[in-house]
Amino acid sequence: MGVREKLQQVREKVRLAAVRAGRDIEKIKIIAVTKRVEVPRIREVVQQGIVDLGENRVQELTEKITVLPADLHWHMIGHLQTNKVKYVVGRVHLIHSLDSWSLAKEIQRHANNLGVVARVLVQVNISGEKTKYGLLPEELADFLLALRDLPQISVHGLMTVAPNVKNPEEVRPYFRELRLLAAGHNLEHLSMGMTNDFEVAVEEGADMLRLGTAIFGSREN
Ligand SMILES: *Cc1c(COP(=O)(O)O)cnc(C)c1O
């Protein structure tokens, strides 16, 4: 199956999940995760109307931004090291992975230098797995409060990476918790749901799905 057919299937699954949950499909954005995907195949999804692209490594992100059309929206979805912030701020539509105060300060500094406002989501480690980045749910309130002192950062929502499990029903409680956290802080956007669990994520309120394998097939290397 080609990228076009895969994308069609994904869109249909998203539509059905939205119908099940009584949600407006127009409000759900598919972000095509292009890590380790070659530029010609990325162009194929762009031709199918995808405008949001996600990368988790800064180097790949910057390489691809320069060769693909300028009107695409790039999303930084992976852990961002403070020394790489300068390559990201001012270039991406949204940083999904704000996960520490030191990173916030660095984003603020570069955004200020450029005279821009950096749009971010705060990453939350809902499952509490040691291997995952993100704030713990109980740290979120203080973190959001502190961010108010950084005027060049605007917080648009929350992001999480759910545990990798066979049965996506197992992660439903994590998605639900993220939604409740966001609602409690009046945050609009929820970046949650990957290839294995995006239908559950839609049912639980996700409005940004980060999909790699579902669209491009498995990443062999
Ligand atoms: C790779 C990646 C994805 C996409 O994963 P798939 O399972 O291939 O859909 C989503 N989010 C993040 C943070 C990633 O690194």
Side-chain angles (χ1 to χ4, degrees), residues 1-36:
M1 211 187 343
V3 160
R4 205 172 68 97
E5 290 78 15
K6 284 207 176 74
L7 183 60
Q8 260 169 13
Q9 283 196 349
V10 165
R11 282 176 163 150
E12 181 59 11
K13 286 179 179 168
V14 170
R15 192 186 68 78
L16 291 172
V19 168
R20 283 198 295 279
R23 299 189 52 206
D24 178 2
I25 181 82
E26 299 296 322
K27 297 220 167 89
I28 302 168
K29 203 181 262 185
I30 294 174
I31 300 170
V33 175
T34 55
K35 62 186 183 200
R36 285 180 268 159

Side-chain angles (χ1 to χ4, degrees), residues 27-65:
K27 297 220 167 89
I28 302 168
K29 203 181 262 185
I30 294 174
I31 300 170
V33 175
T34 55
K35 62 186 183 200
R36 285 180 268 159
V37 176
E38 304 288 328
V39 168
R41 300 182 65 223
I42 302 175
R43 289 192 198 280
E44 282 185 57
V45 298
V46 171
Q47 275 163 11
Q48 299 306 315
I50 290 283
V51 291
D52 293 277
L53 303 175
E55 278 289 339
N56 70 334
R57 293 217 186 84
V58 171
Q59 182 163 350
E60 258 188 88
L61 176 76
T62 51
E63 284 169 10
K64 287 170 181 169
I65 284 181

Side-chain angles (χ1 to χ4, degrees), residues 15-128:
R15 192 186 68 78
L16 291 172
V19 168
R20 283 198 295 279
R23 299 189 52 206
D24 178 2
I25 181 82
E26 299 296 322
K27 297 220 167 89
I28 302 168
K29 203 181 262 185
I30 294 174
I31 300 170
V33 175
T34 55
K35 62 186 183 200
R36 285 180 268 159
V37 176
E38 304 288 328
V39 168
R41 300 182 65 223
I42 302 175
R43 289 192 198 280
E44 282 185 57
V45 298
V46 171
Q47 275 163 11
Q48 299 306 315
I50 290 283
V51 291
D52 293 277
L53 303 175
E55 278 289 339
N56 70 334
R57 293 217 186 84
V58 171
Q59 182 163 350
E60 258 188 88
L61 176 76
T62 51
E63 284 169 10
K64 287 170 181 169
I65 284 181
T66 53
V67 296
L68 283 154
D71 55 359
L72 297 170
H73 287 173
W74 287 92
H75 298 253
M76 177 60 197
I77 63 173
H79 176 64
L80 182 54
Q81 291 168 298
T82 50
N83 62 349
K84 304 259 174 78
V85 169
K86 55 177 175 290
Y87 305 113
V88 173
V89 170
R91 285 191 178 168
V92 299
H93 180 69
L94 185 65
I95 298 170
H96 291 229
S97 44
L98 175 56
D99 58 9
S100 73
W101 181 243
S102 54
L103 178 59
K105 281 190 297 185
E106 200 59 11
I107 292 172
Q108 161 68 28
R109 195 166 73 79
H110 284 280
N112 189 44
N113 287 345
L114 292 173
V116 298
V117 171
R119 306 173 69 255
V120 308
L121 306 177
V122 175
Q123 182 169 354
V124 184
N125 183 0
I126 296 277
S127 63

